[in-house]
Each structure stands twice: as C-alpha cells, then as structure tokens.
Amino acid sequence: MTSTPCTYPYPNALHHHWIEACLESGKHVLAEKPLTTSAGATAALVDLAAARGLVLQENFAFLRHGQHRTVRALVNEGRIGELRHFHSEFCFPPLAADDVRYRARPSAAKRCWTSGCTRCGPHSTFSETP
C-alpha cells in the first residue's frame, strides 16, 4: 500500500467515491464540505468509518470558528449594543467560464454546495437554537 497524505476530490459529486476509497484503505478522513451530496451516502460513510474505527470529519470549521463566540459574548454582555438586525453576505471572485463548479451536471443544485452554506455561520451564532 502506498502512502497518501492527502487527496482533494473535486467536484462535490466525487467526494463519496474518494472518501470511501480512503476509508476502505484504512485512512482517517478530513473531507471538504459537502461530505457527500445525499443523506444516504453520508450515512454509509459514517457507518463505514465507525465499523473500521476511523475518524471521518467534514471540514466545516467556519461554522464553529471562535470569532462567532466572541461576537456573541460581546453582544450578550452589552458591550457593542443590542442586536436588532442581522444581514450577511458571502461571495467569491468569478471563476473561469469552464470551471467545473459552473457545470449543470451532475446536478445544478449540487454545484453550489461548495459555498452556499457559508452564510449560515454568522447567523447561527445569534440563533437561539444550536
């Protein structure tokens, strides 16, 4: 078996295949979001990792970044005033017209999963539900 310190599958539709291959070869996996493009595929990978005693983690650090706890604490302590409205935006520079993230297949909806959930982080900081 050869050593593979890192593999970075792209587009999102390939994540399941490569994550499964890494787990099958006995490797712990830190995968870029989205882990997969379906709940069923994700459940299968979670089960596989558990059965083999491996760690499977989705790289979603932004949602749990300490900066959000700090801002929430400042708001809760009244140090920066009462929160009355919250608005967030996320964008990135345009990509080349032939970039795989713009392809309508394998799924038009799935191509946006790379960044579409990023706006949730700041909002969830101030939500009453976890």
Side-chain angles (χ1 to χ4, degrees):
M1 176 167 58
T2 61
S3 175
T4 306
C6 179
T7 181
Y8 193 87
Y10 211 80
N12 297 335
L14 297 179
H15 287 194
H16 179 268
H17 169 80
W18 288 107
I19 293 167
E20 183 177 56
C22 289
L23 292 171
E24 290 284 356
S25 69
K27 298 180 186 326
H28 299 291
V29 175
L30 172 62
E32 189 52 72
K33 64 183 179 322
L35 193 63
T36 72
T37 56
S38 77
T42 298
L45 292 177
V46 168
D47 290 346
L48 177 60
R52 293 179 171 258
L54 296 169
V55 174
L56 172 61
Q57 177 68 46
E58 184 176 41
N59 183 21
F60 226 132
F62 175 78
L63 290 179
R64 305 291 176 245
H65 194 284
Q67 68 187 358
H68 302 304
R69 286 187 302 277
T70 300
V71 172
R72 183 175 193 148
L74 291 170
V75 170
N76 289 345
E77 295 165 8
R79 293 175 58 191
I80 59 174
E82 176 187 355
L83 180 64
R84 295 182 289 176
H85 176 80
F86 185 89
H87 175 86
S88 69
E89 293 185 23
F90 179 82
C91 62
F92 49 87
L95 305 168
D98 62 347
D99 190 281
V100 68
R101 288 166 279 194
Y102 291 141
R103 292 186 191 158
R105 297 285 180 258
S107 167
K110 293 173 186 174
R111 69 178 180 242
C112 296
W113 286 15
T114 302
S115 60
C117 54
T118 307
R119 292 182 61 195
C120 301
H123 183 269
S124 66
T125 299
F126 301 103
S127 173
E128 294 303 317
T129 57

